[in-house]
Amino acid sequence: MSSVAKSGTYKLGNRSVYRLGYGAMQLAGKGVFGPPKDHDAAISVLREAVANGVNHIDTSDFYGPHVTNKLIREALAPYSDDLTIVTKIGARRGSDASWLPAYSPKELTQAVHDNLSNLGLDAIEVVNLRIMFDTHGPAEGSIEAPLTALAELQRKGLVRHIGLSNVTRSQIAEGRKICDIICVQNQYNLAHRNDDALIDELARDGIAYVPFFPLGGFSPLQSSTLSGVAERLGATPMQVALAWLLQRSQNIILIPGTSSVEHLRENLAAAELELSGDELDELEGVAKAA
């Protein structure tokens, strides 16, 4: 059994995916803008991920823009039947690499078609609607208009399933009145625990929770407690952080990203770690100190 298989599985729509997947964001250039520093290395990371059993890749056409999707197609097409590619729309990149909302029906329709074209797909398995009321985190506001536009693309057969990203509890409730929501993608990690209660609520309804920045994102997790647990286990702090997420709730699906084959292998090996009750209790202190 591969390391990835040991992470277990969870449903994304009609697909069963391993709970340890891969996020492609870091394959783009600095600031998630422009081409990768090393094109061949990016291709190698994608192929290594799939070779190690990864069957869930998270991407977006606004990474680059257009960079990661084209890399995925070059590296992996024709895709294996069990590979689930998840993308997101709702933003665009400015010429200065800024992140800008892109919510109009025209913009959302174009984004779906761009993803289809650059990935080489006839339909996208899951599209997450990224809410951009505040680029720093979830902010209240109605999502009815953009989600209704995305649901129309689903009815046309271009999108099979819909998720939400960077959203509040009330926005999820609003969204579920418009269409089925199969996953929620918000920031969450050992130190950033705002969605603790939400994760449990979604688990009861069979909805996947996909934390972005599971390792801290642009500000990597740093904690003497985390480092201490890792040292005792003969693991890296990031492996322990991923293992904690896998044990946090069965509906959590991970998409750690990297542009390095070595780091990819380290991330996937996190599924081998089993944290004891004492270690879990110790790690609770990381959130309290954050």
Side-chain angles (χ1 to χ4, degrees):
M1 179 184 291
S2 69
S3 294
V4 173
K6 291 180 180 179
S7 69
T9 61
Y10 200 79
K11 282 283 193 179
L12 266 182
N14 298 327
R15 302 290 196 104
S16 178
V17 301
Y18 290 126
R19 294 177 57 223
L20 190 48
Y22 174 73
M25 184 177 75
Q26 291 189 35
L27 294 183
K30 184 178 180 181
V32 201
F33 197 73
K37 181 178 180 180
D38 188 331
H39 173 274
D40 291 346
I43 296 296
S44 295
V45 168
L46 287 162
R47 290 176 176 166
E48 181 74 13
V50 171
N52 280 273
V54 168
N55 63 359
H56 169 214
I57 293 178
D58 181 89
T59 185
S60 174
D61 213 49
F62 55 67
Y63 293 162
H66 315 304
V67 169
T68 60
N69 283 353
K70 290 180 179 179
L71 289 169
I72 289 168
R73 182 177 186 177
E74 179 183 347
L76 303 177
Y79 305 112
S80 61
D81 291 340
D82 71 336
L83 180 63
T84 298
I85 298 176
V86 178
T87 190
K88 65 184 71 64
I89 62 175
R92 62 181 177 85
R93 305 303 297 277
S95 58
D96 59 351
S98 56
W99 303 79
L100 305 169
Y103 284 151
S104 71
K106 181 179 179 181
E107 288 172 314
L108 295 173
T109 299
Q110 185 62 53
V112 166
H113 282 285
D114 285 347
N115 276 276
L116 289 169
S117 175
N118 289 323
L119 287 167
L121 294 170
D122 296 323
I124 304 171
E125 194 65 30
V126 184
V127 173
N128 289 313
L129 177 62
R130 169 80 177 188
I131 301 305
M132 296 283 289
F133 296 149
D134 187 337
T135 58
H136 299 293
E140 294 294 355
S142 176
I143 64 172
E144 180 180 2
L147 186 56
T148 299
L150 179 54
E152 179 59 29
L153 296 171
Q154 182 184 38
R155 283 189 286 273
K156 292 179 178 178
L158 300 178
V159 175
R160 293 195 177 101
H161 301 284
I162 292 174
L164 296 172
S165 176
N166 200 44
V167 285
T168 66
R169 180 182 280 101
S170 61
Q171 287 165 339
I172 295 168
E174 180 185 29
R176 294 180 70 184
K177 295 176 181 177
I178 297 168
C179 62
D180 286 338
I181 300 298
I182 68 157
C183 59
V184 171
Q185 191 177 100
N186 277 3
Q187 182 179 1
Y188 184 82
N189 55 52
L190 185 57
H192 190 281
R193 302 275 298 273
N194 292 351
D195 277 358
D196 266 335
L198 175 62
I199 289 170
D200 297 334
E201 292 169 12
L202 295 175
R204 287 192 289 271
D205 289 339
I207 298 173
Y209 184 93
V210 188
F212 63 77
F213 294 160
L215 302 178
F218 299 113
S219 300
L221 293 174
Q222 295 184 11
S223 160
S224 58
T225 299
L226 180 60
S227 297
V229 171
E231 185 175 358
R232 293 198 302 271
L233 291 173
T236 68
M238 297 302 99
Q239 286 174 325
V240 172
L242 291 172
W244 178 85
L245 284 165
L246 288 172
Q247 290 183 229
R248 166 63 182 82
S249 180
Q250 286 298 308
N251 70 322
I252 288 181
I253 300 175
L254 300 183
I255 50 168
T258 179
S259 58
S260 159
V261 168
E262 180 183 359
H263 290 158
L264 171 72
R265 291 170 179 161
E266 288 181 3
N267 289 342
L268 299 184
E272 305 274 356
L273 286 180
E274 185 72 28
L275 303 176
S276 69
D278 288 343
E279 288 159 348
L280 292 171
D281 289 342
E282 188 175 353
L283 290 169
E284 286 295 316
V286 175
K288 294 174 183 176

